[in-house]
Amino acid sequence: MASPIHQRLREDVLAGVFAPDEPLTEAKLTERYGTSRTPVREALQRLEQDGLVERRGKAVVVRTHSAEEIIDIYESRIVLEQAAAAKAAVKATALDHQLLRALLLQMRQLDAGDGRVLAETNRAFHAQLWHATHSPSLIGLLERLDQQVRRYTLTTLTYPGRWPVVLADYAELLAAVEARDPQRAGEIAARHMSDALGIRLKMYAEDPRTL
Amino acid sequence: MASPIHQRLREDVLAGVFAPDEPLTEAKLTERYGTSRTPVREALQRLEQDGLVERRGKAVVVRTHSAEEIIDIYESRIVLEQAAAAKAAVKATALDHQLLRALLLQMRQLDAGDGRVLAETNRAFHAQLWHATHSPSLIGLLERLDQQVRRYTLTTLTYPGRWPVVLADYAELLAAVEARDPQRAGEIAARHMSDALGIRLKMYAEDPRTL
DNA sequence: CGGCATACGTATGTATACAATCGTGTACAG
DNA sequence: CTGTACACGATTGTATACATACGTATGCCG
């Protein structure tokens, strides 16, 4: 349903095509995507709703997040991921289990060096877990939060020694889900996300630019 | 920021001005609000993003929720309200405490019969608690969920014997927040929302039309 | 030399004209 | 009588012209 230029613009924003303070004038985007202002305006509004861009005075610029804001989003996400894992443990079907297992196997065979692929597959695993809850509201909320920080998540997985731990966490989480143990699944997910936040904070302390 | 007609249309949708299957044609809204199609289209898109309307085929209609969807949203909200209460217990300032106390006092003096006023004040209390978290992401997520079911929340508070319990819950919750006890605040909030869901389910069993 | 006011340019907000698509109703054929 | 196909109407998607407001730069006055 979402118009094609909405998707293209979102991809470009997430890919960092535009500088943080560069005004996204409608004329520029009109030329870039070869359409008129109307679809461009629509796309900008949706991206603003999604929290990916913001209006600064009259201009629209890609939204940047302070360290505090990122921590805040992470903390909310910890809560939601815990809830999602717990609910997935109750609601997941055999097919959901199968899809999660397949994704985990796929992740094990990846080269731990390519952050891009890691981030993408990691996201797919999370998304699959969300869908295993069969809860539209949880899925929507988590997708919303994820989009806002997706630009920053690339780095977390490439932190030295992190990837094997992630794989182990997911294996444990999947086991809890398949055992239909919501308590344990939630705990593992919460711990996993807390660890991710801890690493992010550590990286930030080492080099504030990594935000 | 939000255009005036966006707000007006939202109020009208929440007020139930439009029938559940009535197509919200742009021409009709254009005439109703005395503007051109462009702002109307913008408003419709935002309302669709907010989950208040949906596209059915080509037409846009006010979104209705099945019993399952409402339960789903409630369950997510239980999680978020618990998290918000816990965070408020940690982050709330003296001013937040004061505002919450004022709202509670105000609520105690209300006529328990007027569901409209009850719902509005009740919402104000929740909103104030959300803001007491000083967490933009939590506030945003909760506002989003709240909007989707606001049309249905009017009835819950007028259920026989419910209102005094609500007041007692809020007093207890506020005490926990002021005592900076996140654990207890979260538990109270979660129980409170679970009770609300229970009442909704009971009302639905008694009369499915109350949805 | 500095600050404020004004004027101009540029970008967004709004209205409308045009294009395309989807749904519907009717007519015809099986 | 029913199903299908075609055509027409209505409604949304797109493009553009017009209005407006904001930011900026420049010039004048203190």
Side-chain angles (χ1 to χ4, degrees):
Chain A
M1 161 62 238
S3 81
I5 108 138
H6 170 224
Q7 291 188 354
R8 286 216 281 161
L9 180 56
R10 175 165 59 190
E11 287 169 13
D12 285 346
V13 167
L14 290 175
V17 169
F18 307 102
D21 281 342
E22 178 186 0
L24 300 181
T25 66
E26 296 173 1
K28 204 184 304 180
L29 303 176
T30 286
E31 187 186 0
R32 180 181 181 90
Y33 300 112
T35 67
S36 80
R37 282 179 56 208
T38 310
V40 167
R41 284 178 63 80
E42 170 192 329
L44 281 176
Q45 282 166 193
R46 296 189 70 156
L47 261 59
E48 185 185 357
Q49 281 277 44
D50 295 341
L52 272 73
V53 301
E54 65 182 346
R55 312 190 67 84
R56 206 139 67 198
K58 200 165 170 173
V60 174
V61 298
V62 304
R63 175 159 178 191
T64 59
H65 297 87
S66 67
E68 288 77 18
E69 285 171 318
I70 290 188
I71 294 171
D72 177 52
I73 292 175
Y74 256 94
E75 289 178 346
S76 294
R77 191 166 164 186
I78 290 170
V79 171
L80 286 176
E81 290 277 2
Q82 175 169 12
K87 178 160 277 196
V90 176
K91 298 278 192 181
T93 65
L95 176 59
D96 291 323
H97 295 161
Q98 192 175 335
L99 290 168
L100 285 167
R101 277 198 301 268
L103 277 171
L104 186 54
L105 280 176
Q106 191 181 330
M107 291 172 80
R108 285 212 179 94
Q109 292 163 358
L110 289 179
D111 172 20
D114 188 345
R116 188 103 52 179
V117 175
L118 256 51
E120 196 177 331
T121 324
N122 179 62
R123 207 186 97 74
F125 184 85
H126 277 269
Q128 186 56 47
L129 187 68
W130 302 343
H131 281 283
T133 64
H134 296 273
S135 164
S137 63
L138 270 183
I139 295 170
L141 295 172
L142 278 161
E143 281 179 346
R144 187 180 169 80
L145 279 190
D146 175 61
Q147 265 198 351
Q148 294 186 11
V149 291
R150 200 186 311 185
R151 280 185 57 203
Y152 311 105
T153 53
L154 186 139
T155 44
T156 307
L157 298 171
T158 55
Y159 191 81
R162 176 60 177 165
W163 186 243
V165 176
V166 169
L167 290 178
D169 281 351
Y170 288 173
E172 203 180 343
L173 175 56
L174 180 49
V177 167
E178 290 186 317
R180 304 225 174 271
D181 186 340
Q183 180 76 21
R184 190 161 137 250
E187 283 170 4
I188 295 166
R191 177 174 51 75
H192 175 76
M193 293 307 297
S194 294
D195 289 349
L197 173 56
I199 289 174
R200 174 152 300 285
L201 291 176
K202 202 187 299 179
M203 291 175 73
Y204 179 67
E206 290 170 359
D207 181 2
R209 286 173 310 157
T210 54
L211 270 189
Chain B
M1 169 189 104
S3 84
I5 107 136
H6 170 223
Q7 291 189 354
R8 286 216 282 160
L9 181 56
R10 175 164 60 189
E11 286 169 12
D12 286 345
V13 167
L14 290 175
V17 170
F18 307 102
D21 280 343
E22 178 186 0
L24 301 180
T25 66
E26 295 172 1
K28 204 184 305 181
L29 302 176
T30 287
E31 187 186 0
R32 181 182 181 90
Y33 301 113
T35 67
S36 79
R37 281 179 57 208
T38 311
V40 167
R41 284 178 62 81
E42 170 191 330
L44 281 175
Q45 281 166 197
R46 296 189 70 158
L47 260 59
E48 186 186 357
Q49 280 277 59
D50 295 341
L52 272 74
V53 301
E54 65 182 346
R55 314 191 67 84
R56 206 138 69 197
K58 199 164 167 173
V60 175
V61 297
V62 306
R63 176 163 178 187
T64 60
H65 297 86
S66 67
E68 289 76 20
E69 284 171 319
I70 290 188
I71 293 172
D72 177 52
I73 291 175
Y74 255 95
E75 288 178 348
S76 294
R77 190 166 165 186
I78 290 171
V79 170
L80 286 175
E81 289 278 0
Q82 175 169 13
K87 178 160 278 195
V90 176
K91 298 279 193 180
T93 66
L95 177 59
D96 292 323
H97 294 161
Q98 193 174 334
L99 290 169
L100 284 167
R101 277 197 301 267
L103 277 173
L104 186 53
L105 281 176
Q106 191 181 331
M107 291 172 80
R108 284 212 180 94
Q109 293 163 358
L110 289 179
D111 172 19
D114 189 345
R116 190 101 53 178
V117 174
L118 256 50
E120 195 176 331
T121 325
N122 179 63
R123 208 186 95 74
F125 185 85
H126 276 269
Q128 186 55 49
L129 186 68
W130 303 342
H131 282 281
T133 63
H134 297 272
S135 163
S137 62
L138 270 183
I139 294 170
L141 295 173
L142 279 160
E143 281 179 346
R144 186 180 170 78
L145 279 189
D146 175 62
Q147 264 197 353
Q148 295 187 10
V149 291
R150 200 187 311 184
R151 279 183 58 204
Y152 310 105
T153 53
L154 185 140
T155 45
T156 307
L157 298 171
T158 55
Y159 191 82
R162 176 60 177 164
W163 185 244
V165 176
V166 169
L167 290 177
D169 280 352
Y170 288 172
E172 201 181 345
L173 175 55
L174 180 49
V177 168
E178 290 186 317
R180 305 222 173 274
D181 185 341
Q183 180 77 20
R184 189 162 137 251
E187 283 169 4
I188 295 168
R191 177 173 53 74
H192 175 76
M193 294 307 296
S194 294
D195 290 349
L197 173 56
I199 290 175
R200 176 151 300 283
L201 291 176
K202 203 187 298 180
M203 293 175 73
Y204 180 67
E206 291 170 359
D207 180 4
R209 288 173 309 157
T210 54
L211 269 189

